[in-house]
Amino acid sequence: MKLHDLKPAAGSKSQKHRVGRGIGGKGGKTAGRGTKGQGARGSVKAGFEGGQTPLHRRTPKLKGFNNPFRVEYAVVNLDTLADFEAGAEVDPGTLRARGLVAKQGLVKILARGTLERPLTVRAHAFSAGAKQAIESAGGSTEVIPAPWGDRRPPAKGNAHANR
């Protein structure tokens, strides 16, 4: 078999139906376009959506991009942790009880300030500097896993879920 021998299976291809060639055959007179109206006249603009606001007007222009999967953290610095007693256990619950972070959301510890007391700190994330500072002061760090596990966060408002 060679390329010039190839052809489609019998009956699988049919000729294009030519409409609008007089009333002698199928597809004469209105040529399958019905009677009158917008569709019969060929006046529908490309992209017309039947009166619905068209796509090119619905999409925002030049406004940037908001990532719906962005993970936002309530930030706590080391100088804030300096107010805790030596050997205390610091976690999002104790920080919320003192009013240092909002009611909900994930907590991240950052390295601004110094820490001289050993603390056990549990948070959802640590900066490298904060982790080193806490451990050099004799404390320990523990990462709390995100509530959505190892998958991506839920779309929109993951910082507002009750955690």
Side-chain angles (χ1 to χ4, degrees):
M1 180 180 274
K2 299 211 163 105
L3 271 178
H4 64 272
D5 295 325
L6 293 175
K7 45 177 127 162
S12 67
K13 298 285 270 179
S14 56
Q15 281 193 324
K16 185 178 170 188
H17 204 97
R18 298 179 73 207
V19 295
R21 298 294 186 278
I23 59 170
K26 200 91 162 124
K29 194 176 170 252
T30 55
R33 286 172 166 260
T35 309
K36 298 185 183 175
Q38 191 176 38
R41 299 192 166 97
S43 60
V44 183
K45 287 182 182 175
F48 182 70
E49 298 186 35
Q52 173 174 304
T53 306
L55 181 67
H56 68 87
R57 286 182 58 202
R58 290 197 306 261
T59 52
K61 311 289 189 294
L62 305 173
K63 299 266 190 338
F65 172 74
N66 289 326
N67 182 3
F69 303 107
R70 176 188 164 103
V71 179
E72 293 185 7
Y73 292 96
V75 174
V76 177
N77 285 292
L78 290 179
D79 53 7
T80 309
L81 297 182
D83 298 340
F84 285 88
E85 308 78 38
E89 292 195 10
V90 180
D91 62 3
T94 58
L95 292 169
R96 287 184 183 112
R98 290 194 182 199
L100 299 174
V101 294
K103 287 185 198 173
Q104 300 161 336
L106 308 179
V107 176
K108 182 170 185 172
I109 309 296
L110 299 183
R112 189 187 75 196
T114 56
L115 189 67
E116 282 104 33
R117 301 178 188 152
L119 298 174
T120 303
V121 184
R122 282 197 262 304
H124 297 96
F126 293 88
S127 70
K131 192 168 192 167
Q132 182 192 359
I134 292 168
E135 289 169 359
S136 66
S140 64
T141 60
E142 184 185 325
V143 177
I144 301 170
W148 50 83
D150 59 349
R151 296 183 309 277
R152 75 176 180 196
K156 289 215 166 112
N158 59 61
H160 303 298
N162 195 4
R163 296 184 180 90

